[in-house]
Amino acid sequence: MRVTSVTFAGSATSPAQYPKRVLPEVAFAGRSNVGKSSLINRLLGRRKIAWVSRTPGRTQVLNFYLVNDRFYFVDLPGYGYAAVPSRVRETWGPMIEGYLKGRPTLRGVVLLLDGRHPPQAHDVATRAWLAQERIGHLLVLTKIDKVPRGKRAAHLREAAACLGLSDPGLLLPVSAVTGEGEAALWKALEVALAPA
Ligand code: GDP
């Protein structure tokens, strides 16, 4: 994908504030510090777009970015380090749950998992919830540059097992630092964003 234009299309806390244009969109989710801003910036070829527009102190905000005047990237608030929530509602709150369940133009969610460690209970619960709600999602392992090449296959198998996946090939390893996996991720995103 050649990114020719990116514009910040606003922050939202309620559906009335979502962009009105009917364009396909994908949302990026993951634990705080998972590398979400870095990856979005990398994909968009912009150094700072995914956080310059953030409003300090307002974590529960959806940020919309219009890309190539054709689709939106949506940056969801990172979920916390706290103990496992008993329900996803407690992780993300009704605002985000409402967005994910009720946005007709949402083509899928990119769920980011920290590639350096096995997925945590929060991550596992989030992915189970997305599956249960039949919300299409890509599972991306971030910061893969931090995992020595010789250990990656075993690492992917372990992560897949934690998530209850039979095939580690469903996990897409990426690095916002080296760009590894970026082309494969774009390919998957293009499929998700293709005209219906
Ligand atoms: P966010 O809170 O999910 O938006 O995470 P950030 O993008 O702010 O990244 C959190 C930290 O991880 C920062 O110190 C980044 O420099 C670092 N980081 C993000 N992506 C990568 C990556 O692919 N490789 C490495 N080595 N570090 C990364």
Side-chain angles (χ1 to χ4, degrees):
M1 166 78 58
R2 211 168 85 79
V3 174
T4 52
S5 67
V6 183
T7 40
F8 179 61
S11 296
T13 54
S14 69
Q17 298 166 338
Y18 300 163
K20 300 286 178 294
R21 284 179 69 186
V22 177
L23 291 173
E25 67 194 33
V26 288
F28 290 77
R31 204 153 33 86
S32 303
N33 213 40
V34 72
K36 186 157 51 67
S37 316
S38 303
L39 185 65
I40 292 174
N41 289 330
R42 172 101 205 182
L43 289 167
L44 298 181
R46 302 293 189 276
R47 250 189 294 167
K48 290 186 176 178
I49 191 142
W51 42 276
V52 280
S53 45
R54 262 187 201 163
T55 318
R58 287 178 67 197
T59 50
Q60 294 291 96
V61 164
L62 309 178
N63 285 309
F64 291 80
Y65 303 95
L66 176 63
V67 185
N68 290 354
D69 206 38
R70 194 167 74 76
F71 56 86
Y72 291 108
F73 271 9
V74 188
D75 187 4
L76 300 180
Y79 46 85
Y81 297 98
V84 196
S86 56
R87 305 175 61 198
V88 167
R89 184 178 291 270
E90 290 158 28
T91 306
W92 267 338
M95 194 263 292
I96 298 163
E97 188 181 317
Y99 162 78
L100 290 167
K101 286 166 77 166
R103 179 76 164 157
T105 52
L106 179 66
R107 294 289 182 84
V109 175
V110 179
L111 181 60
L112 304 180
L113 306 161
D114 192 326
R116 298 170 305 172
H117 315 291
Q120 299 187 3
H122 244 113
D123 302 317
V124 175
T126 302
R127 131 93 190 155
W129 182 83
L130 289 169
Q132 177 201 312
E133 296 296 332
R134 299 186 188 282
I135 297 168
H137 49 281
L138 289 169
L139 297 168
V140 167
L141 293 186
T142 61
K143 308 187 189 183
I144 204 66
D145 57 285
K146 290 286 192 190
V147 181
R149 288 191 182 271
K151 294 191 177 159
R152 289 191 191 171
H155 216 82
L156 285 169
R157 277 198 302 276
E158 188 188 358
C162 284
L163 293 162
L165 304 173
S166 52
D167 180 8
L170 294 169
L171 300 169
L172 192 59
V174 302
S175 166
V177 172
T178 64
E180 184 176 350
E182 188 187 354
L185 176 53
W186 262 128
K187 220 168 170 180
L189 290 172
E190 281 175 39
V191 171
L193 291 164

